[in-house]
Amino acid sequence: MTKQAGALTLTDLTAGTPCCPPLARQRVPAETAALLAPAFKALGDPVRLQLMSMIASAPGGEACVCDLTPAFELSGPTISHHLKTLREAGLVDAERRGTWVYYRARPGLLRQLATLLTMDTPAET
Amino acid sequence: MTKQAGALTLTDLTAGTPCCPPLARQRVPAETAALLAPAFKALGDPVRLQLMSMIASAPGGEACVCDLTPAFELSGPTISHHLKTLREAGLVDAERRGTWVYYRARPGLLRQLATLLTMDTPAET
DNA sequence: CGTCTAGGTTGACAGTTGTCGAAACAGTGT
DNA sequence: ACACTGTTTCGACAACTGTCAACCTAGACG
């Protein structure tokens, strides 16, 4: 499949390929919305939002599942499920090193989302 | 109920009360997550993301439902339901003027979300 | 008043999501 | 090989979500 102009993929977004001017500057096309909405959806759960924050703010930029799980009153499988959701949304990456699995934030997509929500468009002359 | 220190409400957030340093800078507390996650959740649907954009980018800063509805292949009640979700998340405001209802973006909460997602960590490998 | 139009609300339905316990998988160490 | 620990997958279930058809409300206009 050859790359088509204008047809962005999740891979492009996590890689940081520019795609999205702020929400308020121009109307988000349906394709873009379909691509970005899942990322917002993934952040739309309090547990996942905290997980995302714990991972992104962890020293060294990565967090061990063994440190994440005990921070919630939830079962291991449930935390694992939420982490999978974040992974599939392209927001984090997982890597196994020996016994433990480490999660790391993917800044590319997060930056896209932040840009999209930017409201400082008072009057772009 | 008297106002407690540190207990933020949705009203505070839409008003733009500062609350949230970037996700990656410090761990988001459970209370904050519970307060902000619904906003992300509201944006986590392609239709609502487009609606939000159409409203925020509309000339004059407001959009009439009569202009929003025909932009989708969805029934009126469905669009109305999505708009209600955005309203309850604190992302938009509605105002009836005569026959028509106009929606307007509430920049306060959007700015909070954008700040939260900001990644000022230049490390990208 | 009556009627028309623009939106919102209600009720119902299929599909999805959050959660857990049980089981499976991956690595370490004995 | 075996047992032990950490993590993910599977199967199940209640709760929630997106959608529509039907109905209701608000305002405009005779």
Side-chain angles (χ1 to χ4, degrees):
Chain A
M1 182 164 56
T2 326
K3 177 128 183 174
Q4 293 177 294
L8 283 174
T9 66
L10 180 57
T11 308
D12 294 329
L13 295 183
T14 56
T17 302
C19 83
C20 315
L23 249 184
R25 182 160 326 178
Q26 83 177 44
R27 182 179 155 182
V28 173
E31 287 177 3
T32 306
L35 220 51
L36 291 180
F40 284 120
K41 194 176 191 177
L43 294 175
D45 178 282
V47 173
R48 287 195 294 266
L49 195 52
Q50 290 178 80
L51 283 171
M52 188 70 222
S53 175
M54 292 174 73
I55 294 167
S57 68
E62 63 183 12
C64 174
V65 176
C66 60
D67 290 329
L68 298 174
T69 305
F72 302 87
E73 306 215 331
L74 292 172
S75 69
T78 299
I79 297 297
S80 184
H81 161 69
H82 284 306
L83 289 171
K84 182 179 184 181
T85 302
L86 289 174
R87 240 185 298 135
E88 290 176 344
L91 291 166
V92 299
D93 245 351
E95 182 194 355
R96 170 157 228 142
R97 283 207 299 279
T99 306
W100 295 281
V101 175
Y102 294 88
Y103 278 78
R104 178 177 288 276
R106 294 178 71 81
L109 183 49
L110 273 176
R111 258 191 280 265
Q112 303 277 4
L113 301 181
T115 302
L116 195 75
L117 297 184
T118 298
M119 285 298 288
D120 53 6
T121 16
E124 178 89 16
T125 314
Chain B
M1 181 155 63
T2 327
K3 177 127 181 172
Q4 293 178 295
L8 282 174
T9 66
L10 180 57
T11 309
D12 294 328
L13 295 183
T14 56
T17 302
C19 83
C20 315
L23 248 185
R25 181 156 328 178
Q26 82 178 47
R27 182 179 155 184
V28 173
E31 288 177 1
T32 306
L35 220 52
L36 291 180
F40 284 120
K41 193 174 190 176
L43 294 174
D45 179 281
V47 173
R48 288 195 294 264
L49 194 53
Q50 289 178 79
L51 282 171
M52 188 69 222
S53 176
M54 292 174 73
I55 294 167
S57 68
E62 63 184 12
C64 173
V65 176
C66 61
D67 290 329
L68 298 174
T69 304
F72 303 87
E73 306 216 331
L74 292 172
S75 68
T78 298
I79 297 297
S80 185
H81 162 68
H82 283 307
L83 288 172
K84 183 180 184 180
T85 302
L86 289 174
R87 239 186 298 132
E88 290 176 342
L91 290 165
V92 299
D93 245 350
E95 182 195 355
R96 169 158 229 142
R97 281 208 300 278
T99 307
W100 294 281
V101 176
Y102 294 88
Y103 277 77
R104 179 176 289 275
R106 294 176 72 81
L109 183 49
L110 274 176
R111 258 190 281 265
Q112 303 276 5
L113 300 182
T115 302
L116 195 75
L117 298 184
T118 298
M119 292 293 290
D120 43 14
T121 10
E124 171 148 14
T125 311

